[in-house]
C-alpha cells in the first residue's frame, strides 16, 4: 500500500498518491458539470462548462499533473502570473470591500494534496525549488525576450546582482528552471485554452512554434554558463588580491 512521505513513504509513492487525487478532481468536476443541470434544472442532454485554475507560473514550471484539475474547458487565469493575480486580488479587496480575500493573500500557496499537520503545510514554492516571483521573471525573459539558458543567465546577472546574489547562485537558479521547463515541456500540449491577457503566456502549443521536447541536460548552454561563472569568479579573485 503506497504511503505519503509524511507517513514514511518514498517520493514515488508520495507523487503517485498526489497525482491520483489531482486527476480525481478533474473527473469529479466533469461529473458534477454533467449532473448539476439535471438535478437543479431538470435539463437533460446538457452540461456546464468546467473552469480551470492553473496559472502561468505553474504551467511554465510544469508544476501540475497532466490531465488533472488543470484540464478543463476554459481557464480564466491561464495566461496570468501569480504576482499579477495577487495584484488583482488586492485590488478587489480594497476597491470592492471584499475583506474575505485577505485570507487568500495570507495563505501559503499549496496544492493541498498531502496530509497537513501542526508543523507541516505543503508549500508550492518549497516543492518547486523556486519562488513565484522568480518564475514570473523567468517567464517574461523566456517568452517576451526569447531567452534561452545562457542569454537568461546574462540578463539576470545585471538584474539579480543587486540582490546580492553571486554569479554561481544565479547560474544554479537558471539551470534549475530550464531543467524542469524541459522535462515538463510535454505538458504544455495539454493546457486548457485561456483568455490571453499578457504576452508572457506559456500557452505555446497554440501560437508558439518552439518544440515541446528538449534534452533536459542543455549540455552546450549549461557549459557556457559554467564557463562564464568561472571567468567571473576568477576576475573577482584578482580584484580581491589587488
Amino acid at each position: 500500500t503506497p504511503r505519503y512521505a509524511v507517513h514514511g513513504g518514498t517520493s514515488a509513492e508520495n507523487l503517485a498518491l498526489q497525482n491520483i487525487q489531482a486527476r480525481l478532481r478533474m473527473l469529479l468536476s466533469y461529473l458534477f458539470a454533467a449532473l448539476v443541470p439535471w438535478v437543479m434544472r431538470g435539463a437533460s442532454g446538457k452540461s456546464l462548462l468546467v473552469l480551470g485554475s492553473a496559472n502561468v507560473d505553474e504551467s511554465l514550471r510544469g508544476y501540475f499533473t497532466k490531465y488533472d484539475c488543470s484540464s478543463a474547458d476554459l481557464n480564466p487565469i491561464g495566461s496570468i502570473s501569480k504576482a499579477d493575480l495577487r495584484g488583482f486580488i488586492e485590488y478587489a479587496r480594497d476597491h470592492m470591500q471584499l475583506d474575505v480575500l485577505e485570507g487568500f493573500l495570507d495563505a501559503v500557496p499549496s496544492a493541498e494534496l498531502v496530509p497537513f499537520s501542526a508543523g507541516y503545510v505543503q508549500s508550492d514554492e518549497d516543492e518547486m525549488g523556486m519562488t513565484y516571483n522568480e518564475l514570473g521573471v523567468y517567464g517574461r525573459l523566456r517568452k517576451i525576450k526569447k531567452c534561452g539558458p545562457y542569454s537568461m543567465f546574462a540578463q539576470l546577472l545585471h538584474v539579480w546582482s543587486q540582490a546580492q546574489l553571486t554569479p554561481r547562485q544565479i547560474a544554479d537558479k537558471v539551470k534549475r528552471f530550464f531543467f524542469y521547463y524541459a522535462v515538463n515541456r510535454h505538458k504544455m500540449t495539454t493546457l486548457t485554452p485561456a483568455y490571453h491577457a499578457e504576452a508572457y503566456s506559456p500557452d505555446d502549443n497554440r501560437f508558439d512554434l518552439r518544440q515541446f521536447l528538449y534534452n533536459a541536460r542543455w549540455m552546450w548552454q549549461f557549459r557556457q554558463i559554467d564557463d562564464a561563472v568561472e571567468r567571473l569568479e576568477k576576475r573577482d579573485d584578482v580584484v580581491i588580491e589587488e
Side-chain angles (χ1 to χ4, degrees), residues 25-91:
R25 289 177 181 177
M26 183 269 288
L27 293 173
L28 290 173
S29 296
Y30 274 99
L31 174 65
F32 292 141
L35 293 181
V36 164
W38 167 66
V39 173
M40 303 297 295
R41 306 169 190 172
S44 60
K46 296 182 179 180
S47 179
L48 301 178
L49 291 176
V50 175
L51 301 183
S53 61
N55 58 59
V56 157
D57 303 322
E58 294 165 342
S59 300
L60 190 63
R61 166 60 170 72
Y63 187 68
F64 65 94
T65 303
K66 212 171 186 180
Y67 307 117
D68 69 342
C69 53
S70 63
S71 299
D73 298 310
L74 177 67
N75 187 354
I77 64 172
S79 67
I80 305 173
S81 71
K82 195 81 164 182
D84 286 345
L85 283 172
R86 289 183 63 86
F88 295 150
I89 293 174
E90 289 173 351
Y91 177 87

Side-chain angles (χ1 to χ4, degrees), residues 1-229:
T1 302
R3 296 177 296 174
Y4 289 103
V6 295
H7 297 154
T10 64
S11 58
E13 296 172 75
N14 194 61
L15 187 59
L17 288 172
Q18 291 186 73
N19 285 345
I20 193 66
Q21 282 190 85
R23 290 187 172 112
L24 283 173
R25 289 177 181 177
M26 183 269 288
L27 293 173
L28 290 173
S29 296
Y30 274 99
L31 174 65
F32 292 141
L35 293 181
V36 164
W38 167 66
V39 173
M40 303 297 295
R41 306 169 190 172
S44 60
K46 296 182 179 180
S47 179
L48 301 178
L49 291 176
V50 175
L51 301 183
S53 61
N55 58 59
V56 157
D57 303 322
E58 294 165 342
S59 300
L60 190 63
R61 166 60 170 72
Y63 187 68
F64 65 94
T65 303
K66 212 171 186 180
Y67 307 117
D68 69 342
C69 53
S70 63
S71 299
D73 298 310
L74 177 67
N75 187 354
I77 64 172
S79 67
I80 305 173
S81 71
K82 195 81 164 182
D84 286 345
L85 283 172
R86 289 183 63 86
F88 295 150
I89 293 174
E90 289 173 351
Y91 177 87
R93 177 199 60 190
D94 298 336
H95 294 271
M96 301 178 184
Q97 290 76 52
L98 296 174
D99 295 336
V100 68
L101 295 179
E102 189 66 34
F104 290 82
L105 295 170
D106 294 338
V108 175
S110 174
E112 298 182 349
L113 292 173
V114 300
F116 290 2
S117 66
Y120 173 76
V121 175
Q122 185 182 26
S123 167
D124 290 352
E125 293 181 327
D126 288 345
E127 290 194 342
M128 290 191 297
M130 55 195 75
T131 68
Y132 279 111
N133 286 337
E134 289 173 344
L135 277 166
V137 174
Y138 300 147
R140 285 176 171 83
L141 289 176
R142 182 206 71 100
K143 191 61 177 286
I144 299 175
K145 298 292 186 179
K146 295 180 170 54
C147 288
Y150 182 77
S151 55
M152 184 178 293
F153 167 74
Q155 293 262 1
L156 291 177
L157 274 178
H158 299 285
V159 177
W160 283 354
S161 59
Q162 299 174 355
Q164 305 304 314
L165 292 177
T166 67
R168 188 168 295 278
Q169 289 173 321
I170 295 173
D172 289 342
K173 287 178 177 291
V174 170
K175 289 193 288 186
R176 185 185 302 118
F177 164 70
F178 270 99
F179 170 79
Y180 285 106
Y181 167 74
V183 298
N184 291 311
R185 177 76 171 155
H186 63 95
K187 295 181 181 180
M188 296 295 177
T189 63
T190 67
L191 285 182
T192 296
Y195 163 68
H196 289 288
E198 290 289 348
Y200 56 67
S201 171
D203 198 3
D204 294 344
N205 58 303
R206 292 177 177 84
F207 62 88
D208 191 319
L209 299 182
R210 279 177 283 196
Q211 65 266 37
F212 70 92
L213 291 177
Y214 283 94
N215 185 331
R217 291 180 293 172
W218 300 91
M219 292 180 289
W220 187 89
Q221 294 91 335
F222 285 3
R223 187 168 62 249
Q224 299 303 309
I225 292 176
D226 292 337
D227 291 344
V229 169

